[in-house]
Amino acid sequence: MMLDKPAISYSYLLLRGSFLALISLSLGACVTASIEKERAGVTGLEEGEGVVIMAKSYHLGNETENDFINCVGAAIGRGRGGLRVVPNQEFVDALFPWFEPRTAPADTKGLPDLMMRPGVAQMIKEKGVRYVIWLDGTTDRVAGGGSMSCAAGPGGGGCFGFAWWTNDAKYEASIWDLAGLEDAGTVTADYTGTSFVPAIIVPIPLLARTQSKACKGLADQLKLFIIDEPKPI
Amino acid sequence: MSGWQKTFSVALLIAAVSACSTHVSVRDPHIPDPLITAMPLSVGVRYPQSFDHFVHEEQVIGKEKWQIDLGASNKILFNKLFNAMFTDVTLVAESEDATTLGLDALIEPSIDAFEFSVPEQSQTDSFAVWIRYRIKIFDRNGTQIANWPINAYGKSQTSTFGGDEALRRAAVLAMRDAAALIIMQMDKSTGISKLINNDNAMPTTAEPAVQQTAVEEQGDDAR
């Protein structure tokens, strides 16, 4: 008499799942990073001076995520060499309507005229803003594949399959010096990360935190750019 | 059908209908005090009835119904704006003859159109709102000197704010955009400063933009 055996045993499934997870881990949810800096002028901060993080105008098609702007602002303000960050909305409201998406200067050539407007220079001084950091760019999914299906029944449920996707976070930060009314330079960050989700009964997400790594990387470089780097002779 | 069955059916129907509609309300757009100097002009402002309670309803094709209630926020917006732009502002009732009030100008703002898009339509994660205002200006004799359309635009991401909140914020941003545009362009587009009673007085606000802005650089298509 032969006993009925399940076609695929649970131990086999677990073994296969662990194997896939190991392969995925060895592939890693890795992120590759590239950061470039272009300095146009001498930077530095005096006592009481700070920065404000702004998104380039959506009137020009810019789609920079608010979460990313908040993340960069928070990251610049904490840790070693943290800068004083004036909240974006507070700055925009105090200078209304001169930093609205429609009215903000397109480039540093517009700064002298902006400063001549009644009350603008005084308000910027009052807020203690020395640098405006304009962010441009987005995180996009550039590739993906695989498939996964999940099912549930009276005896339990599970997922089978393998999915992956690649995100590309490309951002550019332009730094304007409001004291010298000039362009201080640009920092660009390009981070690419691939995430994997193998699933044998239980999905194991191996996520590449591309955007948050880009946020931290860009913020660290901006801090260095503004205060830590030796001034050119 | 008994009484309680009827009540239950009506409640079920209301629940089903409301499940397919979203209501967004803007009570006060919280426009900041503009950083400008007032123009020495005595103006009257006459608002249309729709400014007391403006409601826009739209059924997105194949999707849910949206109701956007701006309440009196347009009135709040223009009150804030004109009180900052002009030294003397008087509210003029619809039935009142403005030519007897000794004003330099009468301003009549109105809404021509209100439109919005939801993420499903734009294939993005953003809500967008377009408001087309119109400003008519009359001189002290009641002669119309300007009829100026203003296209304002606001956009807000759903990833940061929830769906309802993102649409509300997009509407507020469109109002702020209108305010910015009016401050920047009103005199250039309407010539209102020419109505100043004192020939020696110089306009000090709403003057043509002196700096090149991001949008001007790209042209008005950006609207």
Side-chain angles (χ1 to χ4, degrees):
Chain A
M1 185 178 157
M2 288 182 65
L3 290 172
D4 285 341
K5 286 178 78 177
I8 302 171
S9 69
Y10 276 110
S11 57
Y12 171 75
L13 288 175
L14 282 172
L15 189 69
R16 196 172 141 187
S18 307
F19 180 66
L20 269 175
L22 273 173
I23 288 177
S24 304
L25 279 169
S26 65
L27 290 171
C30 57
V31 176
T32 56
S34 160
I35 289 197
E36 288 176 20
K37 285 184 276 187
E38 196 179 311
R39 182 173 287 279
V42 176
T43 52
L45 279 173
E46 302 293 331
E47 183 72 28
E49 290 180 337
V51 303
V52 64
I53 315 288
M54 304 276 290
K56 281 201 173 170
S57 173
Y58 56 64
H59 280 275
L60 307 178
N62 180 42
E63 304 268 348
T64 305
E65 304 87 353
N66 286 326
D67 293 344
F68 185 79
I69 293 160
N70 295 338
C71 174
V72 172
I76 284 182
R78 66 171 175 252
R80 182 183 161 272
L83 310 182
R84 180 175 162 266
V85 180
V86 176
N88 169 294
Q89 196 61 52
E90 180 187 317
F91 179 76
V92 172
D93 282 354
L95 285 147
F96 183 77
W98 307 118
F99 278 88
E100 294 297 299
R102 180 186 292 275
T103 56
D107 50 44
T108 49
K109 287 179 204 156
L111 287 177
D113 290 330
L114 175 66
M115 292 298 194
M116 279 164 51
R117 291 193 182 277
V120 170
Q122 191 188 341
M123 184 57 76
I124 288 173
K125 193 176 175 189
E126 201 175 294
K127 291 286 164 194
V129 173
R130 170 73 187 272
Y131 297 100
V132 178
I133 299 172
W134 292 97
L135 292 182
D136 192 2
T138 52
T139 298
D140 296 312
R141 183 168 296 189
V142 292
S147 67
M148 188 182 300
S149 58
C150 297
C159 297
F160 293 90
F162 181 80
W164 65 275
W165 63 93
T166 300
N167 283 346
D168 188 17
K170 266 188 190 164
Y171 294 94
E172 180 180 282
S174 304
I175 301 115
W176 291 6
D177 183 353
L178 294 184
L181 306 183
E182 61 189 5
D183 185 10
T186 307
V187 179
T188 55
D190 188 353
Y191 282 64
T192 305
T194 303
S195 301
F196 307 95
V197 183
I200 296 294
I201 302 174
V202 178
I204 303 163
L206 302 165
L207 304 179
R209 296 166 56 79
T210 315
Q211 192 183 54
S212 61
K213 282 186 187 293
C215 161
K216 189 174 182 316
L218 187 62
D220 287 347
Q221 291 305 316
L222 282 167
K223 280 195 279 192
L224 284 172
F225 187 94
I226 289 173
I227 56 165
D228 278 358
E229 284 183 343
K231 295 176 181 178
I233 298 166
Chain B
M1 195 182 274
S2 66
W4 73 267
Q5 280 177 318
K6 276 184 188 170
T7 310
F8 180 74
S9 303
V10 169
L12 200 65
L13 188 66
I14 290 169
V17 169
S18 63
C20 299
S21 70
T22 306
H23 180 89
V24 175
S25 170
V26 181
R27 290 286 159 236
D28 185 345
H30 296 292
I31 303 295
D33 293 328
L35 203 55
I36 55 176
T37 307
M39 194 185 291
L41 205 60
S42 170
V43 301
V45 183
R46 182 182 280 151
Y47 292 115
Q49 270 188 348
S50 64
F51 272 37
D52 286 325
H53 191 203
F54 181 87
V55 179
H56 175 80
E57 281 185 355
E58 193 170 324
Q59 174 91 44
V60 177
I61 298 169
K63 302 281 177 185
E64 60 193 319
K65 186 178 177 183
W66 290 84
Q67 186 186 65
I68 302 167
D69 180 359
L70 296 184
S73 53
N74 286 301
K75 200 181 233 180
I76 296 169
L77 162 73
F78 282 98
N79 274 340
K80 169 82 87 170
L81 193 58
F82 292 145
N83 276 300
M85 289 178 73
F86 306 106
T87 50
D88 186 22
V89 179
T90 307
L91 290 183
V92 179
E94 226 164 329
S95 56
E96 218 168 348
D97 181 5
T99 56
T100 64
L101 300 174
L103 303 166
D104 294 325
L106 174 70
I107 304 174
E108 283 187 0
S110 59
I111 293 184
D112 276 359
F114 185 99
E115 292 172 33
F116 69 93
S117 71
V118 299
E120 290 85 358
Q121 292 171 302
S122 59
Q123 300 295 309
T124 66
D125 69 342
S126 300
F127 282 89
V129 168
W130 293 263
I131 308 176
R132 190 162 71 245
Y133 291 103
R134 185 170 291 278
I135 286 183
K136 289 182 181 172
I137 298 176
F138 302 85
D139 67 11
R140 66 184 62 249
N141 302 315
T143 307
Q144 184 177 307
I145 64 149
N147 184 353
W148 181 38
I150 300 144
N151 293 302
Y153 172 63
K155 192 172 88 166
S156 182
Q157 294 162 355
T158 50
S159 54
T160 308
F161 307 96
D164 301 5
E165 180 54 25
L167 181 55
R168 197 194 71 78
R169 184 162 165 78
V172 169
L173 288 173
M175 288 186 193
R176 286 178 72 122
D177 191 43
L181 182 61
I182 290 166
I183 289 168
M184 294 276 289
Q185 300 284 331
M186 187 166 182
D187 193 29
K188 191 179 174 183
S189 300
T190 67
I192 193 169
S193 64
K194 291 176 189 153
L195 301 179
I196 293 173
N197 202 10
N198 176 4
D199 288 341
N200 296 323
M202 293 296 288
T204 51
T205 189
E207 60 208 74
V210 289
Q211 91 244 23
Q212 179 108 39
T213 65
V215 175
E216 284 170 341
E217 194 168 70
Q218 292 286 313
D220 279 348
D221 292 346
R223 278 183 241 150

